[in-house]
Amino acid sequence: MVSARGLGFRLRSREILTSIDFALSRGSFLAVVGENGAGKTTLLDLLLGFRRRTAGELVVLDHDPGTDPWQSRSRIAYLSEKVDLPGDWEAREFLEFHRRFYPSYDRQEEAALMSRLGVRADAVLGTMSAGEIRRVQIAGALAARPELLIADEITALLDILGRRLFLTLVKERQKTGGLTTVLATNVPEGLDAYADHVLLISRGRQVAFSGLTGFIRNENTLADAVAGALTNHARALS
């Protein structure tokens, strides 16, 4: 589904990402973790074709995203806290706009998701909290029935129950439909029951990529393992 080999991105004279290597099969759930400024969002931008790699190889859904393969876009759903929506739109107007880009969009699924997520179609976006708006985005993304879901820090604006529900919805679709997920976050707490692979990035460099069990090893949780790995990496660089 997704593979990177020696992937890098340079902006002018600055190396933003260097030597990123990983591969995901269908139905995987990858947690991309690291500190603020580690390069997580840049990696997702490369996967989506928003930026073009300057080194290495990258394949997403059998295509190089840097060539702008529009035939692949309808197979990918994207969630980000950075997406701004018109405040005078109702949730249904956003969903009507969104579904035009996805031939496999399921309106019955959309209605079911809106109900489970506890948001109303007639709610005006400008009167909703950031977390409620993200719930509307989640409904639209999953109703598109994507093969690949790419999410950038989306859980940071959800409350505890909303975060758990989002991850549960993703896990359900991973099991029943083979959904592949790449989730970037600097808050790894609670991902242990959902992610099956971990990519740890620090200062633009790959620290580790492995299955969840192998990454955690003797630590109690994913968050503990991430903290320990980042501490050891910082010591090695100092």
Side-chain angles (χ1 to χ4, degrees):
M1 291 292 289
V2 182
S3 65
R5 186 174 180 180
L7 180 65
F9 178 73
R10 173 190 290 269
L11 186 60
R12 298 186 179 89
S13 61
R14 182 186 173 195
E15 290 285 353
I16 308 298
L17 281 178
T18 304
S19 301
I20 304 297
D21 295 277
F22 69 93
L24 297 176
S25 58
R26 184 174 181 268
S28 299
F29 188 135
L30 173 67
V32 182
V33 293
E35 74 278 8
N36 291 329
K40 303 184 297 298
T41 295
T42 298
L43 174 61
L44 300 195
D45 285 349
L46 293 173
L47 297 182
L48 290 159
F50 294 166
R51 297 174 183 261
R52 294 192 176 188
R53 72 186 189 282
T54 56
E57 301 174 1
L58 179 61
V59 177
V60 177
L61 298 178
D62 300 320
H63 294 279
D64 175 357
T67 63
D68 199 25
W70 284 99
Q71 62 269 39
S72 298
R73 297 297 175 92
S74 64
R75 299 161 63 194
I76 302 172
Y78 174 54
L79 290 168
S80 173
E81 64 175 349
K82 300 179 179 65
V83 175
D84 292 322
L85 305 178
D88 58 346
W89 278 12
E90 292 184 351
R92 68 162 56 92
E93 292 179 286
F94 161 71
L95 294 169
E96 288 170 0
F97 173 79
H98 175 77
R99 70 173 71 110
R100 296 176 186 176
F101 301 95
Y102 294 95
S104 299
Y105 198 91
D106 188 332
R107 296 189 64 172
Q108 289 185 328
E109 179 78 344
E110 175 197 288
L113 285 162
M114 290 286 282
S115 177
R116 286 187 68 179
L117 288 160
V119 284
R120 295 176 43 165
D122 61 354
V124 177
L125 297 177
T127 67
M128 302 172 76
S129 70
E132 289 173 326
I133 292 173
R134 299 306 165 240
R135 287 175 182 241
V136 175
Q137 288 181 280
I138 290 167
L142 296 181
R145 296 195 176 277
E147 296 176 43
L148 174 63
L149 174 66
I150 296 178
D152 188 10
E153 299 287 3
I154 189 69
T155 58
L157 294 175
L158 296 171
D159 57 32
I160 295 173
L161 294 179
R163 176 184 169 94
R164 184 178 299 170
L165 177 56
F166 165 62
L167 293 170
T168 297
L169 291 170
V170 170
K171 194 72 172 181
E172 290 173 357
R173 283 147 185 78
Q174 180 185 12
K175 291 181 178 179
T176 60
L179 175 65
T180 304
T181 301
V182 178
L183 169 67
T185 181
N186 56 10
V187 185
E189 284 81 3
L191 288 178
D192 308 59
Y194 305 96
D196 47 51
H197 290 79
V198 179
L199 173 62
L200 178 58
I201 301 174
S202 180
R203 304 181 190 180
R205 296 182 177 274
Q206 180 170 319
V207 178
F209 170 69
S210 73
L212 180 69
T213 303
F215 182 78
I216 293 178
R217 296 186 189 133
N218 298 323
E219 300 288 353
N220 292 323
T221 65
L222 173 60
D224 291 337
V226 168
L230 288 175
T231 299
N232 293 334
H233 182 64
R235 287 173 179 168
L237 293 178
S238 62

